[in-house]
Amino acid sequence: MRADRARGPAPFALVAALLAAATILPSSADAKRRFVPKEHRTIQAAIDAAAPGDTVWVAAGTYHGTITMKKPLTLFGDGGPDSTILDGGDSTRVLHVEGVKGGSVIGFGIRRGKAPAGGGAYLLRDSSFMFVACTFTRNWESAVAAWESYGIAVTDCRFEENQGSAIQFNHSRGYITQSQFTRNTGNGGGAVALNQSEVIGTFRRCTFDENRATKTVGGAVFADSSRFVMADCSFTGNSSTVAGGAIAGVGRSHMSISRSRFRENRAPQGGALHSDASLFLVGLSVFDRNQATAGGAAIGMVGRIDANINPILRNNTFYKNTTNGSGGTVFAVKTSPEIEKNIFVVEGKEQLAVAGLESSPLYTCNLIHDPSGIALGALPSTDTFVGDPLFCGAAEGNFDLRDLSPALRAPCGPIGARKQGCSTFQLQPSR
């Protein structure tokens, strides 16, 4: 549990309290709460009877069938997502939302929906619609699919074992924050697939574990002609059958990634990240033991978005990312990335920090360490440092630096993703 949550009510409990209070405020005098099943036997009956701005308050239980919403309402699950369930029974879509501006779904478990698109929730030409504190489980052909929708928000939700990508944005824009994606699968982007779409603001504080792309690139996140900015996310054990075990961008996508962690992701090319004719900016991130068959063990890049616009890798830490044969932690083809102030820990005679074809990377002030002691060959630039970065505990996943680390004392400034986190020596009290 994060410390900021520990100090106050759980998000779902807080939302419930705010909704209950809202009905007694003067500004909400015209809005009503409609109770299911106390006043209306079904959720659909309550929606049909409700006026725009009303809240449909649903008691704990399991509710079946396709629910259709075409007016701005709040659909609230009183028992929370573990007890208030919307179930498609593996035969029908769970929720259809169309042309709604200002609606929300809060506190539901949405499961076992099945449809050609959006088995869990399908949104068409909607805006300012929110999913908060919901759990999406085992929906087929995506848990949430948005088409020509703008301002779709997903926050504090869980997505588990959905097929056809957990979230699909098609010609849409939306927010994705503080959500968990576990064991979802898709052709590309097992967790999130973006097609000519944009994640607005910052894609923040999300976790992606064991998601998989079965036919193309991007095990967890796939962007095609799309844009996103990502920060404070973690990717563990995601995979692709083609490239980009965690994230992939194609078709002139714009991707900016910072303060994130990539651990043990895998793919034939680009074990963690893959970029094809797209803009890639990666900083202050840790790449820990990602794997590729060949090419880039951590990052693979092919082409660039425009002439003279190259990917930028700045202040990252790369630790023992490997390929099956010869390769590099970073592999570039027909692009010349700017590689500045990164730590590379490589091991083995066939593992290089950076490799590529038809590429002339610009190196500035990087540190390379080979704990196996095998010669690294010619250094990529005169300001490349060689030596142990002195992590506080790399084996345990702690890549903070000791106070005497050469990565902290370089004339060009700190190198790598992390700052000082421990001391080399401890003073013992005298007796």
Side-chain angles (χ1 to χ4, degrees):
M1 177 180 291
R2 293 193 298 268
D4 57 334
R5 291 191 178 188
R7 289 193 294 267
F12 179 75
L14 180 59
V15 170
L18 291 174
L19 279 173
T23 60
I24 64 173
L25 294 177
S27 60
S28 305
D30 294 334
K32 296 181 179 179
R33 281 192 289 171
R34 298 179 181 273
F35 295 92
V36 179
K38 182 179 178 181
E39 295 178 343
H40 302 275
R41 187 173 61 86
T42 67
I43 296 173
Q44 191 63 58
I47 290 173
D48 294 343
D54 286 356
T55 295
V56 176
W57 198 283
V58 183
T62 300
Y63 302 85
H64 299 277
T66 299
I67 298 165
T68 301
M69 185 187 302
K70 295 187 178 182
K71 63 184 83 168
L73 303 171
T74 294
L75 193 62
F76 182 77
D78 188 39
D82 295 332
S83 301
T84 313
I85 309 298
L86 307 181
D87 195 322
D90 298 321
S91 62
T92 188
R93 176 177 289 128
V94 175
L95 182 64
H96 179 104
V97 183
E98 184 173 347
V100 172
K101 182 177 181 179
S104 58
V105 175
I106 302 171
F108 284 92
I110 298 175
R111 71 186 187 191
R112 299 174 60 201
K114 185 174 183 180
Y122 179 79
L123 300 101
L124 177 63
R125 293 186 295 274
D126 301 304
S127 60
S128 303
F129 195 90
M130 300 176 61
F131 291 94
V132 181
C134 290
T135 297
F136 295 83
T137 308
R138 297 183 181 178
N139 297 285
W140 185 86
E141 201 59 33
S142 72
V144 175
W147 293 79
E148 298 178 352
S149 296
Y150 304 95
I152 304 303
V154 177
T155 186
D156 202 41
C157 291
R158 299 199 314 270
F159 296 83
E160 300 176 354
E161 299 181 356
N162 300 283
Q163 299 183 42
S165 303
I167 295 177
Q168 287 188 16
F169 281 176
N170 300 280
H171 302 272
S172 297
R173 291 185 299 167
Y175 304 82
I176 303 174
T177 59
Q178 295 182 214
S179 294
Q180 303 169 16
F181 300 84
T182 306
R183 296 187 299 279
N184 303 284
T185 62
N187 289 338
V192 177
L194 306 173
N195 175 33
Q196 298 185 52
S197 296
E198 180 180 0
V199 177
I200 308 169
T202 303
F203 202 148
R204 187 181 294 277
R205 294 181 183 175
C206 293
T207 61
F208 301 84
D209 298 326
E210 300 179 30
N211 301 284
R212 180 169 173 78
T214 57
K215 293 184 178 180
T216 182
V217 297
V221 177
F222 172 56
D224 184 354
S225 308
S226 298
R227 294 171 176 262
F228 67 81
V229 175
M230 176 180 290
D232 302 310
C233 292
S234 68
F235 295 79
T236 304
N238 303 283
S239 63
S240 166
T241 57
V242 179
I247 298 175
V250 303
R252 300 177 62 82
S253 290
H254 291 238
M255 299 171 288
S256 179
I257 300 164
S258 66
R259 298 192 304 276
S260 294
R261 177 184 288 260
F262 299 85
R263 183 174 183 269
E264 296 181 356
N265 304 283
R266 60 193 184 279
Q269 301 279 346
L273 308 182
H274 172 75
S275 171
D276 189 341
S278 295
L279 180 62
F280 220 175
L281 309 175
V282 185
L284 297 171
S285 295
V286 173
F287 295 82
D288 178 12
R289 289 168 286 186
N290 300 283
Q291 299 178 12
T293 305
I299 298 177
M301 296 171 283
V302 180
R304 52 192 175 186
I305 194 166
D306 282 310
N308 300 319
I309 299 179
N310 290 294
I312 297 175
L313 308 179
R314 181 176 294 137
N315 280 105
N316 301 290
T317 295
F318 298 91
Y319 180 77
K320 294 187 179 181
N321 301 275
T322 58
T323 58
N324 289 354
S326 60
T329 297
V330 175
F331 196 87
V333 179
K334 296 183 177 179
T335 186
S336 299
E338 298 179 25
I339 300 175
E340 180 180 352
K341 295 185 178 182
N342 301 281
I343 294 174
F344 293 92
V345 176
V346 297
E347 193 163 26
K349 63 181 180 180
E350 295 185 310
Q351 301 299 307
L352 301 175
V354 181
L357 300 169
E358 299 181 52
S359 174
S360 300
L362 174 63
Y363 298 97
T364 306
C365 195
N366 298 281
L367 185 151
I368 300 176
H369 177 51
D370 180 2
S372 70
I374 297 174
L376 294 170
L379 297 178
S381 65
T382 57
D383 62 353
T384 299
F385 298 89
V386 176
D388 189 341
L390 298 177
F391 297 124
C392 291
E396 296 78 34
N398 182 355
F399 294 96
D400 291 343
L401 299 169
R402 296 186 180 277
D403 53 355
L404 297 183
S405 169
L408 293 175
R409 297 173 174 271
C412 60
I415 300 174
R418 298 296 176 87
K419 298 181 179 180
Q420 179 179 331
C422 57
S423 299
T424 304
F425 303 103
Q426 277 189 320
L427 296 176
Q428 298 294 328
S430 58
R431 294 184 179 180

